[in-house]
Amino acid sequence: MAVRLCNPLRLPSLPSISTCKSSRSRVFSVRSCILEYNESRKLVLEVKEKLKKDHHYLPEGKNGRDDEDMILWFLRDRKFSVEDAIAKLIKAIKWRQEFGVSELTEDSVKTIAETGKAYVHDFLDVNERPVLVVVASKHFPDVHDRTENEKLCVFLIEKALSKLPHGREEILGIIDLRGFGTENADLNYLTFLRLGQVLFVDAPFVFKPIWQLVKPLLKSYVSLVRFCSVETVRKEYFEGETVPANFRD
């Protein structure tokens, strides 16, 4: 189950009229946005009612069957298909319960977190996105327990989501591939970790055949991946002291 299935996102804010150049374009932009918002709102309420009627046993509240932010995210992800969104929502909510997402704490993932394999960066990137950094060379799937790895991944995603500014919807994932070896390869972990955008930094030659195996599993999410250098991370995604420590000079 991909972590992406449990990511609730915020409702979009209507853009300010002052962002448009001409009077005519302002009117068109605002009308278009209002129509889009109204249609989205109708679908959100439709999904909400169907879940209440047919799946009343599901929990309510944040990340529950009546969480309108999460409903909207799944509608978008399923191209506004009500039935598809409901099917995914049910799976996601049940999975959160079974996995015990709400029970995860700093203490519960402390041991695996101390490996330094992943962390949420203190600063947002230049696009105001929370940042999750994964240090691939510190990930050893044959040594570390898979369930503990997944718990850490989910906990960090939830932590990153809590840092989302209002109106923002994406998390930036940065996977540091410097020093990566075959002992660090883990197809399950790569497919489990799905974010708004993912940077593969300084990927070595040995990573290429692994990537060819992972790509078909990620399907449309492949378009969210960018291979880049440490220098690109510094210059294009952060400013000054906001650069993650392991990407500084």
Side-chain angles (χ1 to χ4, degrees), residues 7-11 67-70 72-73 76 161 164 168-170:
N7 291 358
L9 302 176
R10 292 171 171 79
L11 286 164
D67 186 331
E68 295 185 5
D69 290 1
M70 186 164 71
L72 177 61
W73 190 90
R76 285 176 172 168
L161 284 170
L164 276 170
R168 298 292 176 175
E169 300 183 347
E170 289 188 351

Side-chain angles (χ1 to χ4, degrees), residues 21 39 75 91 207 214:
K21 293 182 179 180
E39 288 302 314
L75 280 167
K91 286 184 179 180
F207 183 74
V214 171

Side-chain angles (χ1 to χ4, degrees), residues 5-223:
L5 294 183
C6 64
N7 291 358
L9 302 176
R10 292 171 171 79
L11 286 164
S13 299
L14 292 176
S16 170
I17 294 179
S18 61
T19 60
C20 302
K21 293 182 179 180
S22 68
S23 176
R24 185 174 182 180
S25 64
R26 283 201 300 267
V27 173
F28 176 79
S29 177
V30 172
R31 284 179 178 171
S32 176
C33 189
I34 290 174
L35 284 172
E36 180 183 346
Y37 176 80
N38 287 340
E39 288 302 314
S40 298
R41 178 68 181 160
K42 288 178 182 178
L43 292 176
V44 166
L45 294 177
E46 182 179 347
V47 170
K48 189 175 176 179
E49 285 302 311
K50 284 180 178 292
L51 287 173
K52 180 180 179 180
K53 178 182 178 182
D54 301 329
H55 304 278
H56 56 86
Y57 57 87
L58 293 174
E60 297 178 273
K62 183 176 173 59
N63 300 315
R65 60 176 170 81
D66 60 342
D67 186 331
E68 295 185 5
D69 290 1
M70 186 164 71
I71 291 173
L72 177 61
W73 190 90
F74 276 99
L75 280 167
R76 285 176 172 168
D77 189 59
R78 296 293 93 190
K79 298 180 180 178
F80 290 94
S81 166
V82 169
E83 295 306 318
D84 289 349
I86 287 175
K88 287 289 184 178
L89 271 162
I90 293 170
K91 286 184 179 180
I93 295 171
K94 286 182 177 179
W95 175 80
R96 288 184 68 91
Q97 287 183 301
E98 294 167 2
F99 196 87
V101 175
S102 62
E103 299 169 8
L104 295 176
T105 64
E106 293 277 0
D107 285 340
S108 69
V109 299
K110 182 178 179 181
T111 301
I112 194 70
E114 286 177 344
T115 63
K117 69 169 68 183
Y119 62 91
V120 175
H121 185 41
D122 292 334
F123 299 96
L124 305 179
D125 76 345
V126 294
N127 297 307
E128 296 188 298
R129 296 177 296 189
V131 180
L132 173 57
V133 179
V134 176
V135 184
S137 63
K138 295 183 179 181
H139 178 61
F140 296 95
D142 291 337
V143 177
H144 302 152
D145 182 79
R146 176 180 174 181
T147 300
E148 293 305 306
N149 281 330
E150 292 181 350
K151 285 182 179 179
L152 176 63
C153 181
V154 173
F155 175 77
L156 294 178
I157 293 266
E158 294 284 301
K159 183 176 180 179
L161 284 170
S162 71
K163 294 167 68 73
L164 276 170
H166 180 68
R168 298 292 176 175
E169 300 183 347
E170 289 188 351
I171 297 173
L172 173 66
I174 304 179
I175 301 182
D176 186 353
L177 290 168
R178 291 172 295 176
F180 175 89
T182 54
E183 69 276 13
N184 307 120
D186 188 353
L187 296 184
N188 289 321
Y189 196 65
L190 280 175
T191 54
F192 191 82
L193 185 67
R194 292 183 184 174
L195 305 161
Q197 183 185 15
V198 178
L199 305 181
F200 284 152
V201 184
D202 282 354
F205 181 78
V206 69
F207 183 74
K208 293 183 179 179
I210 295 170
W211 174 239
Q212 293 305 314
L213 292 173
V214 171
K215 283 174 68 176
L217 302 177
L218 295 178
K219 299 179 181 178
S220 62
Y221 297 118
V222 168
S223 63

Side-chain angles (χ1 to χ4, degrees), residues 121 124-126 131 174 233-234 236-239 242-244:
H121 185 41
L124 305 179
D125 76 345
V126 294
V131 180
I174 304 179
V233 173
R234 292 194 198 111
E236 295 186 21
Y237 292 89
F238 299 94
E239 294 179 348
T242 67
V243 177

